[in-house]
Amino acid sequence: MSEKKFSKKHEWVSLDGDVATVGITKHATEMLGDIVFVEVPDAGKAVEKEGQAAVVESTKAASDVYSPISGEITEGNKAIADDPGSVNSDPEGASWFFKLKIKDKGEYDSLMSKDEYDKFCKENPS
Amino acid sequence: MEVQKTALYNYHKNLGAKFVPFAGYEMPIQYKDGIVKEHISTRTHAGFFDVSHMGQFFLEGDETLIVSLEKIIPADLKNLKVNHSKYSFLLNNEGGIIDDLIITRTEKGFCIILNAACKENDIKQISQFLNKDHKHLLNNDLSLIALQGPKSVEILEKLIPGVANLKFMTGSNFEYEGEKLYVTRSGYTGEDGFEISISNTKVEKLIDYLISNEVKPIGLGARDTLRLEAGLCLYGHDLNEKINPVEANLKWAIAKKRKEVGGFNGWEKIKNLLANGSEKIRVGIKPDGKVIARENTKIFSSDNNEIGFVTSGTFGPSVNAPVAMGYVKSEFSEIGTSIQLEVRGKKYGGKISELPFYKKSYVK
């Protein structure tokens, strides 16, 4: 599995061959608070880079989760839909949102590294 | 208008509060623990809420004050005993709810607790009915602290002996730190607890004591999940000037005598609604799955006709499921009726549910 890359919308991506795994960052879960609902996409759905792909809701509000990369969904993580609170405990591990078969590795390469993302979060506190 | 702060603003900051603008005030939405933990600790131990943004409106006068207030408030104020409180409303000419409130009879008149966002307009509306002998004061020198949860009584009794004797919706004056304070057994979470009216200069000391007894600070976020589980309305969401008490399913809060005799704003309309029912009515709603039906979610019948809308919806941590309230056409209001909720363009099943979602534990 490749190193994680990060988007400005607080998603992370790791790559295994041409299959990417996408989730939301620890920083995102800290901003959202207690997560109480998750909706993940079904296999076969086509998503565009920065297109809406999943939904996450905290006690406060609903937010869209965007795909930082385009491709075709191969799997949504049903485990987090059944236990939304698990996203708070392990957002960058077991609680990934979806996997997709990517079309253009260049989209992955253009995302931020861990260091760049940490810097981005520091400069854009919310 | 400049953003206002309560006397505890810096205290909240030191407790790690996240602030949001609310009704013209900077108020804590949550602290470090987050909404779910704050909610649970209120239900299992005790939590305190700074509700000092709410208006503490004091009125003094002779019996003509009762006559004046009863024109806009449909409670039986004449027979309200000193130190007893009632949940009621201010009504407009159409019977619409200008605000919901708690009114308490005092030695010299009444104290009314008003919603922060409404208080200025409320006072304007009430003043129309007052005469020059009626004194009134919105007291901004007082803070208001709600202490809620099963351990509240044990904790507060140690500090202020005698509060344990209060019954739900009654209050009394007590001494604390050489000053008078007023405590009522009331709240808005479905738990036993108290609301403490205390001077701004002494409030930090009271909070120090509560925190030393492991009472957690609770923000507006958990206040919302707690009150919704308890089936209680939030003004500006579940209630507004276009909704009357019959539609709001709050006709129990209109005094029996006042229902018969009337003499308050909007009575003609309300009398008719009491006899014939309203077209729409407030109900509890439970989505079948995990989906959260938030405010403005459209409600459909099982055969796809639009029948209403959600006014409050969230995840209920103690119910461990999503919960909501809203208005539906009255013929769909029976408990157990299957409905559909349109969330992000998709329809999800749900049912009309009993209120409250969480059983109240008041000490009566």
Side-chain angles (χ1 to χ4, degrees):
Chain A
M1 196 92 80
S2 71
E3 64 157 329
K4 279 199 180 81
K5 292 273 208 175
F6 298 84
S7 76
K8 288 183 177 173
K9 292 186 170 151
H10 307 285
E11 290 97 12
W12 58 263
V13 189
S14 65
L15 202 56
D16 186 6
D18 62 353
V19 174
T21 303
V22 176
I24 64 172
T25 64
K26 188 158 193 318
H27 179 79
T29 61
E30 284 163 2
M31 289 191 294
L32 288 165
D34 306 300
I35 291 165
V36 292
F37 177 78
V38 171
E39 190 176 77
V40 293
D42 293 329
K45 188 186 171 190
V47 292
E48 293 299 314
K49 180 179 164 69
E50 291 176 8
Q52 191 264 342
V55 175
V56 58
E57 291 198 45
S58 71
T59 39
K60 282 177 256 176
S63 313
D64 286 327
V65 176
Y66 303 92
S67 182
I69 199 159
S70 37
E72 187 184 309
I73 301 289
T74 58
E75 188 184 356
N77 188 357
K78 292 281 182 277
I80 62 168
D82 291 338
D83 180 14
S86 68
V87 179
N88 286 108
S89 35
D90 193 11
E92 297 188 21
S95 297
W96 51 273
F97 272 61
F98 51 88
K99 293 180 195 268
L100 73 169
K101 198 169 170 189
I102 67 163
K103 291 190 288 200
D104 176 5
K105 187 169 177 293
E107 289 179 351
Y108 168 82
D109 294 332
S110 66
L111 294 167
M112 290 183 278
S113 69
K114 173 83 177 131
D115 285 350
E116 285 167 335
Y117 175 68
D118 288 345
K119 190 163 166 260
F120 170 78
C121 290
K122 229 174 248 173
E123 285 166 1
N124 297 275
S126 53
Chain B
M1 195 175 73
E2 203 188 328
V3 177
Q4 303 189 70
K5 290 168 181 172
T6 69
L8 283 175
Y9 178 81
N10 286 321
Y11 204 115
H12 294 308
K13 222 173 172 178
N14 291 335
L15 288 171
K18 271 192 207 170
F19 291 92
V20 290
F22 180 83
Y25 286 78
E26 277 292 302
M27 296 302 290
I29 179 123
Q30 66 167 82
Y31 300 81
K32 283 180 194 146
D33 281 350
I35 294 172
V36 171
K37 279 191 185 149
E38 290 173 25
H39 176 112
I40 299 293
S41 67
T42 304
R43 292 248 187 269
T44 55
H45 184 75
F48 78 85
F49 307 68
D50 180 13
V51 288
S52 307
H53 55 312
M54 298 183 85
Q56 299 186 60
F57 187 55
F58 293 86
L59 292 137
E60 288 182 14
D62 55 13
E63 53 274 25
T64 62
L65 176 61
I66 294 173
V67 176
S68 295
L69 292 176
E70 283 198 345
K71 286 180 183 155
I72 189 165
I73 299 173
D76 184 3
L77 300 179
K78 198 170 163 226
N79 290 307
L80 186 61
K81 291 185 202 141
V82 171
N83 289 328
H84 284 241
S85 307
K86 283 283 177 206
Y87 173 75
S88 192
F89 347 89
L90 300 178
L91 296 176
N92 64 26
N93 287 328
E94 297 297 311
I97 300 172
I98 298 168
D99 197 5
D100 65 336
L101 54 85
I102 302 277
I103 183 162
T104 304
R105 185 85 174 252
T106 61
E107 294 287 350
K108 292 178 177 170
F110 295 92
C111 172
I112 310 180
I113 306 295
L114 302 166
N115 279 305
C118 307
K119 61 188 179 186
E120 277 179 38
N121 180 50
D122 290 347
I123 292 167
K124 229 183 268 172
Q125 301 295 329
I126 294 169
S127 298
Q128 292 177 16
F129 296 97
L130 301 179
N131 69 42
K132 61 177 179 13
D133 298 325
H134 301 151
K135 284 191 266 182
H136 61 86
L137 170 72
L138 179 69
N139 195 333
N140 292 318
D141 297 329
L142 295 173
S143 290
L144 189 64
I145 302 300
L147 172 64
Q148 301 278 290
K151 297 284 177 198
S152 301
V153 58
E154 185 187 317
I155 292 165
L156 197 62
E157 177 70 16
K158 273 193 287 174
L159 186 72
I160 307 169
V163 295
N165 298 328
L166 294 172
K167 300 281 181 235
F168 187 62
M169 294 301 268
T170 69
S172 192
N173 281 301
F174 293 90
E175 286 275 328
Y176 173 69
E177 291 286 309
E179 260 186 56
K180 259 200 339 190
L181 50 70
Y182 196 78
V183 181
T184 57
R185 196 149 198 175
S186 59
Y188 219 62
T189 61
E191 295 299 327
D192 181 27
F194 300 91
E195 287 183 331
I196 306 156
S197 174
I198 180 170
S199 75
N200 290 341
T201 55
K202 299 283 189 215
V203 66
E204 288 199 2
K205 189 143 191 173
L206 171 72
I207 301 302
D208 284 341
Y209 169 80
L210 296 178
I211 287 176
S212 71
N213 281 273
E214 278 154 54
V215 179
K216 294 270 194 224
I218 314 295
L220 290 174
R223 185 169 169 82
D224 195 49
T225 56
L226 288 160
R227 69 91 195 165
L228 184 47
E229 280 188 345
L232 301 167
C233 292
L234 179 62
Y235 195 85
H237 299 264
D238 310 304
L239 305 176
N240 62 49
E241 291 204 15
K242 295 210 164 72
I243 291 170
N244 61 61
V246 179
E247 291 170 334
N249 214 347
L250 295 172
K251 60 184 179 193
W252 58 268
I254 304 176
K256 189 165 172 279
K257 194 185 92 182
R258 306 296 314 276
K259 278 179 195 159
E260 289 158 8
V261 183
F264 53 84
N265 270 356
W267 182 56
E268 283 300 322
K269 177 150 181 196
I270 286 174
K271 187 170 64 171
N272 183 27
L273 289 166
L274 285 169
N276 302 312
S278 56
E279 242 174 75
K280 63 174 186 216
I281 191 155
R282 181 177 63 97
V283 291
I285 296 156
K286 265 192 151 176
D288 293 334
K290 284 185 185 291
V291 76
I292 297 171
R294 295 189 187 269
E295 188 171 8
N296 297 325
T297 297
K298 285 181 182 171
I299 304 172
F300 292 84
S301 62
S302 48
D303 56 355
N304 286 321
N305 290 309
E306 192 172 337
I307 55 166
F309 52 93
V310 171
T311 50
S312 284
T314 188
F315 176 81
S318 302
V319 179
N320 196 25
V323 290
M325 292 199 292
Y327 285 81
V328 295
K329 289 184 180 168
S330 296
E331 60 264 38
F332 294 94
S333 65
E334 200 177 314
I335 308 295
T337 304
S338 288
I339 54 164
Q340 302 183 82
L341 301 153
E342 191 181 88
V343 178
R344 291 179 286 272
K346 249 173 41 188
K347 289 198 178 103
Y348 295 83
K351 287 194 178 54
I352 304 297
S353 162
E354 249 177 323
L355 289 174
F357 300 104
Y358 179 87
K359 206 171 161 284
K360 295 176 190 157
S361 44
Y362 302 138
V363 176
K364 296 203 179 178

